Amino acid sequence: MKTIQTLLGTAALGLALGLTPMATMAETPANMLVIANRIDDITTLDPAQSFEFAGADVIRNIYGKLVNFDPSDLDAGYQPDLAESWTVSEDGRTITFTMREGVTFQSGNPVRAEDAAFSLKRAVLLNKTPSFIITQFGFTPENVDDTIKVDGNTLSITTDKRYATSFVLNCLTATIGAIVDKELVMANEVDGDMGNKWLTTNSAGSGPYSLASWKPKESVTLSASPSYYGGEAEMKRVIVRHVQESATQRLMLERGDIDVARDLTPSDVDGLEGVEGVEVLREMRGRLMYVSFNQKHPELSKPQVRQALKYLIDYDGMENSFLKNWYVGHQNFLPKTYLGAVDENPFSFDVEKAKALLAEAGVENLELTVGVREAQERLEIAQSLQNTFAQAGITLNLEVGTGKQILGKYRARELDIYLGAWGPDYPDPHTNAGTFAYNPDNSDEANATGLLAWRNGWDTGGLTEKVAAAVVEGDTEKRAEMYHEIQAQFRDTAPFAVMFQLIEQAGMADNVEGLSLGGAITSAAYWDVTK
């Protein structure tokens, strides 16, 4: 069997000899899926801690959850997974799950209700960045033994008050809802960390794949699990290679060195037109591109300055040039397709209006630094902002780094401005409302790094209470209207400029079938792929 290194070496030799792509066309093995993707944002593969896009893709394929999504029918919503059924108490606070019998972890250990309870309690006790997805239901280190209980083959969870059942179940489809093998994890515990260090680079799941290796900023390799209850995946290995440049991904795809290229610019997508053996897969994703302004900064905290910066963004210019067919204009925190989503985009590039707002605030000759990950489209957006901000007398310096470096500073509230992307954690409007417009404790000591409002030092001006009311509203129509109103106030007052929603365009070998990128609601799934 040819290795990937051999294939890449063949491609390089062909280029050196000046051969045509067809003359040296490589081909990945029939039982292997090879993907080029930017994966430098991965910091850990522990599902209780992972909170990045590329990590979510990996974890979705390794771990089962109580409820999950069928990649072949995302419109059906969450479905039974490790829990085959559930019931809800009369007061709506307790959900009791009956576990699917006969399922094993990749270690050979049986999947038990005890493992599910351990996984949820562990997420609360570790209290890592995404823990709020679970703790928002009132689970605390002090009460988890009373609120998350096991009785034989059933698991019951009791929330602090009544929520829509769909909201709770949607949250359990998030990465943090992954069920880990208690026996294996605790066998690798160090200094009371509940296996956190070990799970950074190892896996303990029951999903279609196990983690063979993760080499930071290089690759992730997954191996198909013969014991997966849904049947062994046809792709016995999945290799996700970190390839930063779109042009490089495109070349690798055209030469057959990879099966999927996931970070292609519009120009490289256009360049695939007419290439034999290649097609383009397009999916509207939930990911939003935004910039945010740190409210701990004395000038950025002025309302007029916040609004001025929103008028110094060339939304249409970017969408119609280097972001064409890649991102579409969207200025609201709920992505299209979500309950409560709206299409109002009131901001446009208006230098004179921005200057007037800056003058009203008494601000001139402002110099700011924006943190941006070293990804092509983000750098181009940052350069556009540099140009348009300068037209109003604002100097914008770029601080460029890896995803891990920039996210670290952002989560520590150290950046003047952050330029980045945000993707929903579960398919319910609270997933974004609860991060963009909710911040019950704005103190540094709160360390609420999972909340974007907190990262930007914003106390939300009353939206926290409105978000809290919307999440418990049982009338779906009324709840949607509440999110319309929240977003209207958010657009006017928030230190965020939401700019675009992603349309992922993945270049793909035309013999690849069954690949799901996750739509707007979840992550990529590889186990249905055939070639």
Side-chain angles (χ1 to χ4, degrees):
M1 179 182 293
K2 290 182 178 180
T3 65
I4 297 304
Q5 289 80 7
T6 300
L7 293 173
L8 290 175
T10 300
L13 177 62
L15 287 175
L17 297 176
L19 300 177
T20 64
M22 291 304 294
T24 58
M25 190 71 176
E27 185 175 332
T28 61
N31 64 350
M32 180 186 294
L33 182 68
V34 185
I35 301 168
N37 192 17
R38 292 197 295 255
I39 59 171
D40 62 327
D41 63 339
I42 300 178
T43 59
T44 177
L45 292 174
D46 183 344
Q49 184 175 2
S50 176
F51 206 46
E52 294 79 35
F53 295 121
D57 283 341
V58 175
I59 290 169
R60 173 155 160 73
N61 289 275
I62 293 175
Y63 292 93
K65 301 168 184 172
L66 291 171
V67 290
N68 215 333
F69 293 99
D70 180 351
S72 65
D73 187 10
L74 294 174
D75 291 337
Y78 54 77
Q79 301 293 312
D81 188 9
L82 296 182
E84 64 179 6
S85 63
W86 53 86
T87 58
V88 183
S89 62
E90 286 189 15
D91 66 3
R93 292 179 54 207
T94 300
I95 304 176
T96 301
F97 299 91
T98 299
M99 302 298 292
R100 189 183 300 274
E101 296 187 359
V103 180
T104 61
F105 289 105
Q106 285 132 15
S107 67
N109 294 329
V111 176
R112 309 161 299 170
E114 185 177 344
D115 295 291
F118 168 77
S119 300
L120 297 180
K121 290 179 181 180
R122 178 177 181 271
V124 174
L125 294 170
L126 286 177
N127 195 31
K128 300 297 184 180
T129 298
S131 64
F132 71 92
I133 298 172
I134 302 296
T135 59
Q136 65 184 328
F137 297 113
F139 301 119
T140 68
E142 293 75 27
N143 71 19
V144 287
D145 288 336
D146 295 324
T147 55
I148 301 176
K149 294 182 177 181
V150 172
D151 183 6
N153 194 41
T154 65
L155 162 74
S156 65
I157 62 173
T158 301
T159 57
D160 57 346
K161 57 188 174 185
R162 183 174 194 143
Y163 298 91
T165 301
S166 59
F167 172 47
V168 180
L169 296 180
N170 277 327
C171 286
L172 294 177
T173 70
T175 297
I176 201 169
I179 305 304
V180 303
D181 183 338
K182 177 182 178 181
E183 301 302 322
L184 180 58
V185 169
M186 292 305 290
N188 290 280
E189 183 181 39
V190 177
D191 297 329
D193 74 345
M194 303 184 80
N196 176 241
K197 182 177 180 181
W198 184 79
L199 276 179
T200 295
T201 55
N202 294 277
S203 64
S206 62
Y209 289 93
S210 62
L211 179 66
S213 70
W214 166 42
K215 300 176 182 178
K217 294 194 289 184
E218 290 186 21
S219 66
V220 171
T221 301
L222 306 179
S223 296
S225 173
S227 63
Y228 176 53
Y229 81 85
E232 186 175 358
E234 187 165 321
M235 297 294 101
K236 305 309 177 191
R237 291 179 80 78
V238 176
I239 299 176
V240 185
R241 300 198 46 176
H242 176 62
V243 181
Q244 188 74 22
E245 297 298 328
S246 170
T248 306
Q249 291 194 18
R250 174 186 163 191
L251 174 63
M252 294 171 72
L253 179 64
E254 289 179 342
R255 299 184 64 81
D257 297 327
I258 60 173
D259 298 299
V260 183
R262 290 197 60 185
D263 298 289
L264 298 179
T265 63
S267 61
D268 280 318
V269 170
D270 291 344
L272 292 177
E273 186 175 350
V275 175
E276 185 176 350
V278 174
E279 60 186 22
V280 177
L281 173 65
R282 292 180 171 88
E283 287 189 23
M284 173 70 81
R285 304 303 305 278
R287 190 180 306 183
L288 304 173
M289 191 70 73
Y290 72 96
V291 287
S292 59
F293 318 122
N294 193 339
Q295 296 304 280
K296 295 168 78 71
H297 189 288
E299 305 291 15
L300 292 176
S301 63
K302 296 179 179 179
Q304 302 96 325
V305 175
R306 294 198 299 258
Q307 290 300 83
L309 297 184
K310 296 175 190 179
Y311 285 106
L312 288 175
I313 299 170
D314 190 4
Y315 305 91
D316 291 343
M318 289 188 280
E319 181 182 350
N320 294 325
S321 55
F322 59 87
L323 296 180
K324 188 175 182 180
N325 298 323
W326 190 5
Y327 281 89
V328 294
H330 190 68
Q331 297 179 12
N332 302 279
F333 65 67
L334 287 182
K336 296 176 182 178
T337 77
Y338 272 63
L339 176 72
V342 294
D343 292 324
E344 296 175 44
N345 298 322
F347 297 102
S348 58
F349 182 43
D350 190 333
V351 176
E352 295 309 313
K353 190 165 189 175
K355 285 181 176 179
L357 286 165
L358 291 171
E360 184 181 332
V363 172
E364 58 183 358
N365 300 322
L366 189 59
E367 183 169 351
L368 302 166
T369 297
V370 57
V372 57
R373 177 181 168 190
E374 50 186 4
Q376 186 171 342
E377 77 281 5
R378 300 191 195 190
L379 290 172
E380 290 185 285
I381 292 172
Q383 289 161 1
S384 174
L385 295 179
Q386 268 188 319
N387 176 270
T388 54
F389 279 30
Q391 294 179 46
I394 298 174
T395 300
L396 188 62
N397 301 312
L398 306 190
E399 181 173 343
V400 181
T402 65
K404 183 177 181 179
Q405 290 169 336
I406 298 302
L407 281 171
K409 285 199 166 189
Y410 185 36
R411 290 170 178 168
R413 308 171 114 182
E414 294 175 356
L415 296 172
D416 295 341
I417 298 178
Y418 174 74
L419 190 161
W422 182 262
D425 297 298
Y426 46 88
D428 185 275
H430 190 68
T431 184
N432 279 10
T435 54
F436 279 96
Y438 182 81
N439 185 14
D441 183 352
N442 195 38
S443 68
D444 289 341
E445 292 72 25
N447 198 32
T449 59
L451 305 182
L452 298 186
W454 182 88
R455 291 186 195 178
N456 289 281
W458 183 46
D459 69 7
T460 80
L463 286 181
T464 293
E465 292 74 18
K466 293 183 179 181
V467 169
V471 77
V472 298
E473 175 54 56
D475 185 310
T476 301
E477 190 171 318
K478 184 177 179 181
R479 189 177 181 217
E481 182 57 38
M482 293 170 79
Y483 287 117
H484 296 167
E485 295 174 3
I486 290 169
Q487 288 177 100
Q489 183 176 335
F490 178 89
R491 288 192 303 270
D492 286 342
T493 63
F496 294 89
V498 181
M499 301 179 290
F500 308 106
Q501 183 171 346
L502 174 69
I503 300 176
E504 183 165 351
Q505 301 183 100
M508 187 170 67
D510 63 4
N511 66 333
V512 174
E513 297 182 359
L515 175 64
S516 168
L517 303 179
I521 60 171
T522 186
S523 303
Y526 308 137
W527 61 90
D528 278 351
V529 172
T530 60
K531 289 168 69 175

